[in-house]
Amino acid sequence: MKKTLSKILNIAVDILVVAILIVSVLVLTIVLTAQGEGGVPSVLGKAPISVVTNSMHGDAPDSFNEGDLLLCDIVDHSVKNDFEVGDIVTFKQDINGDGVEEYVTHRIYKEKDGVYYTKGDNNPTYDQDPNGNVVFKTFIDIDFVARYTGTKIAGFGYVMSYLQTPTGFFLCVLLPMILFFLYQAVRVVINLIAYNKEKALIQAQEAISSSGLTEEQKAKAIAEYLAAQQASSPETENGLEEGKSEEEKTEEKSDEDEKVEENESSEKSEETE
């Protein structure tokens, strides 16, 4: 029973470690990749965009909320793009005036002579309204880096925003990967030690078998060798012992009992004489 539970636990740990590694690699790709034109992150041809405001909150089928993660189509500017009124597009803009451009995803509400005007569905003013709180420039098609087509993961934008911080990146990406490689390294060392022990035991058995000793002497020599090995490395020896089947353990127990009985009989015979 103990052996079965140990195997189940090892399998569960392996599955968990692999899952963490896969998620870490995926997150690492999302956070660091900037393959699309305009520097937009790209994963399997999609641009994951975190929503940081409720400017597009609404009842429309393509509305979204703060904290959502949008999976947008990356705009390929090597081909002609026909943007239309009603399209939801992503562009980069310095929102806070701190010199750092962020991704903004708003709807095109007007187009004139190749110039596009945008607005958040939930905003009271247009992006290009000089009387508004935020003033964006007018856009042409090359200013758009992605187009939203309705695919989103609700709430996952918060996760992505946290993962892009130094603390989040270390705790959720780097640390799991470090622990994974340490775990595998420890397993390799343990397996190598167990393999060397088993190999040494086989060699010792072969040497004793070809030594010309009696069966009783051979059994005693092997028992002494195992005792010495167990004393030098009890944890490893116990690990090998656990790896044996119940049948093997029963046979070994029977052999030990027979040896004890033989020794007792021999002692009684000597006392009688």
Side-chain angles (χ1 to χ4, degrees):
M1 183 66 179
K2 183 178 179 181
K3 183 179 178 182
T4 302
L5 290 176
S6 178
K7 285 184 177 180
I8 293 175
L9 180 61
N10 287 335
I11 292 173
V13 170
D14 288 341
I15 293 174
L16 178 62
V17 169
V18 171
I20 291 175
L21 180 64
I22 292 174
V23 172
S24 297
V25 171
L26 179 61
V27 170
L28 183 63
T29 302
I30 292 175
V31 172
L32 298 182
T33 302
Q35 297 177 350
E37 193 170 333
V40 61
S42 173
V43 179
L44 301 177
K46 293 289 185 178
I49 305 294
S50 298
V51 182
V52 296
T53 71
N54 269 321
S55 63
M56 286 294 293
H57 173 75
D59 298 327
D62 53 4
S63 296
F64 46 85
N65 302 315
E66 178 183 355
D68 290 346
L69 182 71
L70 310 181
L71 300 179
C72 304
D73 292 337
I74 296 175
V75 175
D76 182 4
H77 291 294
S78 65
V79 298
K80 180 176 176 55
N81 292 282
D82 295 320
F83 295 102
E84 300 177 350
V85 172
D87 286 349
I88 299 177
V89 293
T90 299
F91 50 88
K92 299 180 76 172
Q93 188 71 32
D94 181 4
I95 300 175
N96 303 318
D98 56 3
V100 178
E101 290 188 326
E102 301 174 81
Y103 295 116
V104 179
T105 304
H106 281 177
R107 192 185 303 276
I108 297 174
Y109 78 92
K110 178 182 177 182
E111 184 272 331
K112 182 178 180 181
D113 299 328
V115 176
Y116 298 92
Y117 302 83
T118 56
K119 177 183 179 298
D121 290 355
N122 196 39
N123 286 349
T125 59
Y126 299 111
D127 294 341
Q128 291 76 25
D129 185 354
N131 297 320
N133 295 324
V134 179
V135 179
F136 294 166
K137 66 176 185 178
T138 55
F139 301 110
I140 57 177
D141 59 355
I142 62 173
D143 294 317
F144 301 137
V145 296
R147 186 190 332 233
Y148 176 60
T149 57
T151 305
K152 66 181 180 182
I153 304 177
F156 202 70
Y158 288 127
V159 178
M160 289 306 305
S161 296
Y162 176 70
L163 291 174
Q164 293 181 49
T165 65
T167 302
F169 184 76
F170 174 76
L171 292 178
C172 300
V173 180
L174 290 183
L175 185 58
M177 295 181 72
I178 292 172
L179 293 177
F180 170 78
F181 288 114
L182 288 177
Y183 171 74
Q184 292 300 328
V186 170
R187 291 190 64 179
V188 168
V189 172
I190 292 175
N191 291 334
L192 183 60
I193 292 174
Y195 170 77
N196 288 335
K197 289 286 185 181
E198 186 175 356
K199 184 178 179 181
L201 175 60
I202 293 174
Q203 291 174 345
Q205 289 175 332
E206 292 176 349
I208 293 172
S209 298
S210 60
S211 62
L213 300 174
T214 63
E215 292 300 322
E216 184 177 350
Q217 291 173 328
K218 290 178 181 179
K220 184 177 180 180
I222 292 176
E224 290 176 351
Y225 174 81
L226 291 175
Q229 290 295 104
Q230 186 173 7
S232 63
S233 182
E235 293 182 358
T236 304
E237 189 63 35
N238 289 337
L240 291 174
E241 189 67 23
E242 290 178 358
K244 296 179 181 179
S245 66
E246 293 299 326
E247 184 178 349
E248 290 174 333
K249 292 179 180 179
T250 303
E251 290 177 357
E252 290 178 358
K253 179 65 177 174
S254 299
D255 291 341
E256 291 176 0
D257 292 341
E258 289 177 3
K259 291 174 187 176
V260 171
E261 291 176 359
E262 290 177 359
N263 292 335
E264 291 178 351
S265 299
S266 176
E267 290 176 358
K268 287 180 181 180
S269 298
E270 291 177 357
E271 290 176 359
T272 303
E273 292 176 359

